[in-house]
Amino acid sequence: MVDFILTEEQAALKELCRDFGERRLQPIADELDRKAGEDPAGQFPWGVLKEFSSLGLKNLPLPEKWGGADMGVMTHCVLLEELMAAEAGFAAAVHQSWKLAGLIAECGTEEQVSKYIPMFSEDETFLMGDGTLGPISSAEDIQLAAAREGSGWVLDGKKRFVACGPLAKLFIVDAKVTGAAGGMGETITCIVPKESSGVRLGEVHDKMGTRLLLESELDFEKCRVPGADVLSDAGENGSGAKSRYFAKIAPTLGAFGVGIARAALEKSIEHTLERVQGGKPIFEHDVVSFRLAEMKVDVDVARDLVWRAAWHSDDQQDYDPRLGLTSVIFASQMAPRVCDMAIQLFGGYGFMRDYPVQKYWRDALMCLFHGETHDAARLKLGRLMETDHIRGGR
Amino acid sequence: MVDFILTEEQAALKELCRDFGERRLQPIADELDRKAGEDPAGQFPWGVLKEFSSLGLKNLPLPEKWGGADMGVMTHCVLLEELMAAEAGFAAAVHQSWKLAGLIAECGTEEQVSKYIPMFSEDETFLMGDGTLGPISSAEDIQLAAAREGSGWVLDGKKRFVACGPLAKLFIVDAKVTGAAGGMGETITCIVPKESSGVRLGEVHDKMGTRLLLESELDFEKCRVPGADVLSDAGENGSGAKSRYFAKIAPTLGAFGVGIARAALEKSIEHTLERVQGGKPIFEHDVVSFRLAEMKVDVDVARDLVWRAAWHSDDQQDYDPRLGLTSVIFASQMAPRVCDMAIQLFGGYGFMRDYPVQKYWRDALMCLFHGETHDAARLKLGRLMETDHIRGGR
Amino acid sequence: MVDMRLTDEQLELQGIVRKFSREVLKPIAAECDRNSQSDPAGCFPMDALKAASKLGLRTLGLPREMGGRDLDTLTHCILLEEVMAVEPGFGAMFHQVWRLAQHIGRVGTEEQKKKYLVPFAEDDTCLISIGQTEPASGTDNTFPYRGVDGGIKLSAVKEGGEWVLNGTKHFVACATTARIFIVIGRTDPHAPAPEGATQFLVWKDTPGFRIGRTHDKVGGALLMNAELILENVRVPESDVLMGVNEGFSDKARHYGRGAPMVATFGLGTARGAYEAALSYARETIRNGKPLIRNDAIAMRLADMLMLIEATRSAIWRAAWGSDNREHYLQRDAAVSSYFSTVCARSVCENAMQIFGKDGYTRKFPVEKFLRDALMTNHINNTVDVRLLKIGRSLSGELVSSL
Amino acid sequence: MVDMRLTDEQLELQGIVRKFSREVLKPIAAECDRNSQSDPAGCFPMDALKAASKLGLRTLGLPREMGGRDLDTLTHCILLEEVMAVEPGFGAMFHQVWRLAQHIGRVGTEEQKKKYLVPFAEDDTCLISIGQTEPASGTDNTFPYRGVDGGIKLSAVKEGGEWVLNGTKHFVACATTARIFIVIGRTDPHAPAPEGATQFLVWKDTPGFRIGRTHDKVGGALLMNAELILENVRVPESDVLMGVNEGFSDKARHYGRGAPMVATFGLGTARGAYEAALSYARETIRNGKPLIRNDAIAMRLADMLMLIEATRSAIWRAAWGSDNREHYLQRDAAVSSYFSTVCARSVCENAMQIFGKDGYTRKFPVEKFLRDALMTNHINNTVDVRLLKIGRSLSGELVSSL
């Protein structure tokens, strides 16, 4: 029976994240953003991450025996929205670890789980670096080659835009198997500890926004990966456990945009209620109501779609991977649009770094690059429509 | 020196067309649209066409010695806007003949000109049927085959959406030369009198709008075309006189949308000044001002662009075919958008056939099909950008 | 706990309605639309209505004890979507009759139910209509204008134990085909309309009551909108629905909570166009490959599906709120109905583009969906009024509603 | 007769400005932007300004007899586009100094010209600035609010033969770098601001006159907006520009006819992003073919060019109107400036998409163009105010203006 009420546990976690965001992230967001603007490889708020971990939040996606709560996609989306509304870069960094820890826990071998999950769960500052294709990009993008060597592999080449590259203690990367036939060659997913020989941190990308999500290049030169550190998806591109896992968690990418845009909307309401022009708060001018309404529609519809997609991801019974992609695409278009309107409602103030809306906008533009481009996501969804028919009224 | 003033002759012709539209077209537009809705092959207002011709308007694109005024692209756009604002279907029918008579006059051999132009110029009800690719569509669409036979050709196959098919006395059609290599095979353009043996009128298309522009299929079965009736573009696809002519007159397609949208805007201003809700004319509500302003911006910008493109078409000196395409694409997107807003401003009335805005909207949607699809036009423009660089500040 | 699973009853009814729509409505949709052009008043497919009645579909809105299902908002939306995806005008008719039967069932007296709903249930062709809009008052009623000069003008004057109604309505849905009418009249001309209007139950054959011209609309032909002309129509006091001057009262408001249903107009219409375009893109071979393998076409389809799923999500949440009063927000309802209009317009136009020039002809179904989609512009509220309502509601809210 | 041909002088100047922009500004644009992050007040490239002065570019707005070109609006727009397409912040600076030099040249007394414009012409680094916006009054000045409680608050009180100015301005363009200022003060606090404000000429080194904080902006860094703080600044009567209370008068209005110039901010910025994306799409090989051969990329580029050409057309017409008083419509100017904001936002975002993830980094120029494009949101009017002005102007018009 259709219902939109969070469980008590979800509601409590949501409050916890909101409170954490307001108390620990919002106050430092502007300053850290500026610093990172001067030095992209600069500070990450490790103390904040420690507190985040000590509240039990870092380990949520893990099974209970590892200190987690078996967090599903729905809860992931709800909590991520709260964190995104506070500081999108930090939230994105946490998201990577949630995603990748979940990946190992769900798709890893027993050996992988028992080796890597405790490393992650017991270390309050353990972040994971994401060099996978994620839910959207296509295998064409990979510039990292994997060659067989005995029972293991040798990695050579480069990854770009490795999320948390400069911060992580463990990387998970996709590589293209050399010698495989065709452009859509086989790919493998490798777990690579930071200290592995042959892995070197490359250029840290100097980004327009979400600067606390440090991203970098990662250079591989004869980096040996034992067969035991390859995730099980190998050889079953698009059908393996990893691919299913990534398809399943796609709605969490939708939560990126929902959180950022919501924050921009909230600040806009506050501002328009305070700012007086024409003898009354500008909120009371119809044209301002109009803009706020457009923003509110965008944010609410996106959240509704993310929730519905997330529920289906958790349910799996009636699962349609296209629903998850629609939520990413919609929320990713929506967030820059809403933040742009916020900037306009702030007038000249919207342009000033002293006010947060320009940061929301810069952060929101990241959403257009969950894949290589936003068109890549649209095309991926379009491809899925060639054979499968929508089930009406689902 | 940049100037935006029409010549006295242009202004006088514009007035003439506006007056003609208001007096002769607007009063019958609704009734003929309804009749054509019941019988798509039904009446065309031949009497109105006669009057149009008797005012000297039909022959405008011809050289003076044939009773014309050597009308350029700029004037064509200005007059077409006026006619479109009155009745888009009739205007489109006239446009076809303007375009095709101009084509023969400009690109035809002396023999072709002296044979066909007098037929056209001396007959007040002579319309031409358009089975060419026009400025936008690509050769892939052609389903009509031309096979060599002696010095002439034999046409076999079908044309669809031949503008004025059921009304015309002369057709101009593009055909694909059989046996030519590759998908972009050579095409030829043939002049085919209606009574030619082997030409048969097929189904008349039952269209959503612009119903007075009767369009139909044309079936060809062993239709012989003497070599003398082939226009000179043959063998030089994309570079010949015909292709240049079509590129040049592209802005006239932009005038379609400008005229229709302007009419919708004018009716919307009238309506919102009259309709009272909330104790005052709805025009005075800011949200209505907002919508009207969006419409006005759209219409004005489109006209400015069409004019600028048209001027360059006539000037040729600094000519860039991409400018003409931008004007078509912009105006074609603009017109349905503006008409849709007009429908919304009319509230429930917008939905009623008694009010003209729904007709403007139906007519405006035609603009999305100047090519096979609107995307085809965008792609055609995109292709032109591969090699040529925009000249700044033009 | 968040849940998106439909109940067994919802799935059962959805199946019935979908089957009916595809088997009965789909084959006649184009012809009815064509007939409406020459004969707006005579195009309604009475046989299809009878077939619907046999399946129990016409009376779904009745209380369960009268043989209906007392549809909640969500179920209403789910079923309506199925009809809308095939024949939006007919779907809009269902919407009217479902909610009006339910409205009378909920607020009517036992006597009223006996007098109106029992015959309604028994007559396979009986429909219900409500007359609100008048030539001079549209938005004034829905975005209530407080001046006494605005709003409903149809006069209702008490004479003895009866009310005498005089005036004209227009744009009245199902007026051409209905036998039972709810007419809203101005019972207190000195109060603003929201406080001075009353709902009256009237049988079509009441003396002085007359159906005027059926409107010739550009889409949604089977909704059969017409004028109502009332000349000294005498209505007994016992046919006042709810109380006098309560025509727009809180009591009537559950009726106003139907915005998610109205939003379903756009959702279903968009889905119909989308499904047609998807089939066409899969089946049409162009340059040796299916149209859908063309990137631009695939991306258009992706955008269409995105809007459809987004709209459905918003409608479901709003409908759930409408069914669970403690979570009800008028704004959510307005969000869904505003957004569904955007969705319908965009999806139908995209669908038309996929068909190419053929899409502009009536040989293919998309141009009809696009015309039908115009219904979403002005049902209950105009699009801009929906936006304004949302905007004005935001002052109290500095945190998200969910 | 309609004509789109530029004059020889326009083409000559366009060539000089284009060359300057590409050779002097392009190499330093990214670095200046980066410097502005740590030092908003210190990032201005004085050497580039000096180079511009040598070419006569800084003083183009001066009357011809003072060595300038007395730029008309169209020429201003054509030249400005060239700078904007390379470094929008620096372009905006040119815009300020061109039109302010021209403003003083047109309405100033001979004494004022001698006192301000002669030193201006002679000093290669001298810029002019105007202070209008105050923390509490933005739109109230430009969409004039008639209440006496709104609009400019900076007080100007007559004491003897001098005016004493007290108050604060913010967001003042070129304030950090300028030496000559026009300050608008409220000379009649009992009249609405449009009728009670006056323009004063002030040298930067006047006692009591102080530049406050340079604003740390997200884009357009080289425009160098800052606060002005005036504490008992004494201005002689002879430095009142135009008359007392004529700060927003008709006489000042030619100054307000600069909307097409402001529209050029968006046009030029969009063109810069477009040219960068076009080169990238032609030169980048992906999957064995240039990116531009990808349909989706080609269509994005087409959409970008379309908006740019449309905006340029609208600006040229509005500028022509601005230069030919009998054809001047304030609305045309508003149309061009509204539309150019739409254009800039859309084109720059599309450009960023063409670059893919790289576009989100500062290694490539598009994210800067996107940030710079935000300048177009609120120069002179906010976007929505431009729309409202257009809408309200339409009541008299039942036929098109052309």
Side-chain angles (χ1 to χ4, degrees), chain A residues 338-356:
Chain A
V338 165
C339 293
D340 189 59
M341 282 197 255
I343 286 181
Q344 300 203 11
L345 289 177
F346 271 75
Y349 296 95
F351 201 42
M352 301 295 156
R353 286 192 202 271
D354 295 347
Y355 288 78

Side-chain angles (χ1 to χ4, degrees), chain A residues 146-165:
Chain A
R148 264 283 176 203
E149 190 190 60
S151 65
W153 299 84
V154 182
L155 303 183
D156 270 293
K158 185 194 275 290
K159 296 298 280 186
R160 303 188 67 220
F161 292 100
V162 176
C164 295

Side-chain angles (χ1 to χ4, degrees), chain C residues 243-402:
Chain C
V244 172
N245 294 336
E246 291 189 348
F248 290 111
S249 68
D250 280 351
K251 218 170 163 183
R253 200 143 296 167
H254 71 88
Y255 176 84
R257 286 166 65 168
M261 308 174 184
V262 168
T264 305
F265 284 34
L267 170 62
T269 306
R271 186 182 125 195
Y274 164 79
E275 287 178 348
L278 183 59
S279 301
Y280 186 83
R282 284 175 171 169
E283 289 155 19
T284 306
I285 305 296
R286 191 78 49 88
N287 299 320
K289 62 180 183 183
L291 210 50
I292 196 173
R293 300 239 74 198
N294 174 318
D295 285 358
I297 300 281
M299 283 157 79
R300 271 197 198 271
L301 286 165
D303 290 343
M304 292 157 76
L305 179 63
M306 174 190 88
L307 285 179
I308 288 171
E309 294 290 10
T311 307
R312 188 179 288 129
S313 306
I315 288 176
W316 281 26
R317 182 160 72 87
W320 167 82
S322 179
D323 291 330
N324 292 273
R325 284 177 179 258
E326 69 274 31
H327 302 292
Y328 177 67
L329 269 179
Q330 199 202 10
R331 184 180 55 226
D332 290 342
V335 164
S336 70
S337 66
Y338 167 76
F339 193 78
S340 88
T341 297
V342 175
C343 166
R345 178 68 170 73
S346 167
V347 169
C348 292
E349 199 176 304
N350 269 316
M352 199 157 149
Q353 278 289 303
I354 288 172
F355 277 83
K357 269 190 176 159
D358 279 332
Y360 195 60
T361 72
R362 303 204 294 185
K363 206 169 185 177
F364 293 86
V366 284
E367 67 85 30
K368 175 174 179 296
F369 279 119
L370 190 50
R371 287 186 285 110
D372 289 341
L374 293 187
M375 276 198 290
T376 64
N377 279 351
H378 51 86
I379 294 269
N380 287 15
N381 284 305
T382 66
V383 174
D384 288 346
V385 167
R386 287 175 209 149
L387 265 190
L388 267 187
K389 282 184 171 180
I390 295 165
R392 293 192 179 171
S393 76
L394 290 171
S395 59
E397 170 168 9
L398 298 185
V399 293
S400 69
S401 67
L402 270 170

Side-chain angles (χ1 to χ4, degrees), chain A residues 58-78:
Chain A
K58 180 175 69 73
N59 291 339
L60 283 174
L62 302 177
E64 280 178 34
K65 67 168 172 172
W66 305 106
D70 271 322
M71 176 172 73
V73 178
M74 179 73 213
T75 309
H76 188 143
C77 290
V78 169

Side-chain angles (χ1 to χ4, degrees), chain A residues 33-34 36-40 137 140-141 160-161 203 205-211 215 217 275-280 287-288 291 333 336-337 339-340 343-345 347-355 358-359 361-375 378, chain D residues 33-34 36-39 133-141 145 149 170-171 213 215-221 225 280 286-287 296-297 300 338 341 345 349 352-364 367-368 370-375 377-378 382-384 387-388:
Chain A
D33 174 64
R34 284 169 194 261
E38 293 168 27
D39 174 13
S137 299
E140 287 170 0
D141 305 333
R160 303 188 67 220
F161 292 100
E203 180 188 339
H205 300 294
D206 181 9
K207 294 187 301 175
M208 180 187 199
T210 56
R211 290 171 173 162
E215 296 186 74
E217 298 186 346
R275 173 83 175 164
V276 173
Q277 293 289 283
K280 57 185 179 182
V287 295
V288 171
R291 294 296 182 211
Q333 286 173 2
R337 184 165 64 210
C339 293
D340 189 59
I343 286 181
Q344 300 203 11
L345 289 177
Y349 296 95
F351 201 42
M352 301 295 156
R353 286 192 202 271
D354 295 347
Y355 288 78
Q358 51 79 25
K359 179 173 181 297
W361 174 74
R362 287 185 288 113
D363 289 347
L365 284 163
M366 162 191 58
C367 299
L368 295 173
F369 301 98
H370 286 315
E372 172 62 20
T373 65
H374 192 63
D375 286 346
R378 295 166 65 214
Chain D
D33 177 58
R34 173 165 292 284
S36 77
Q37 295 230 323
S38 46
D39 183 10
T133 303
E134 299 174 6
S137 68
T139 297
D140 271 356
N141 296 319
Y145 171 58
D149 55 324
H170 75 172
F171 300 172
R213 203 172 61 114
H215 297 290
D216 183 11
K217 310 196 306 294
V218 71
N225 302 70
Y280 185 83
R286 190 77 50 88
N287 299 321
I297 300 281
R300 271 196 198 272
Y338 168 76
T341 297
R345 178 67 169 76
E349 199 177 304
M352 198 158 150
Q353 279 289 304
I354 288 171
F355 278 83
K357 271 190 177 162
D358 279 332
Y360 193 60
T361 72
R362 302 202 295 183
K363 205 169 185 175
F364 293 88
E367 66 85 31
K368 175 175 180 295
L370 189 49
R371 287 185 285 111
D372 288 341
L374 292 186
M375 275 197 291
N377 278 351
H378 50 87
T382 68
V383 174
D384 288 346
L387 265 189
L388 267 185

Side-chain angles (χ1 to χ4, degrees), chain B residues 5-12 75, chain D residues 1-2:
Chain B
I5 300 282
L6 296 178
T7 62
E8 278 180 35
E9 188 192 357
Q10 284 171 329
T75 309
Chain D
M1 185 173 140
V2 174

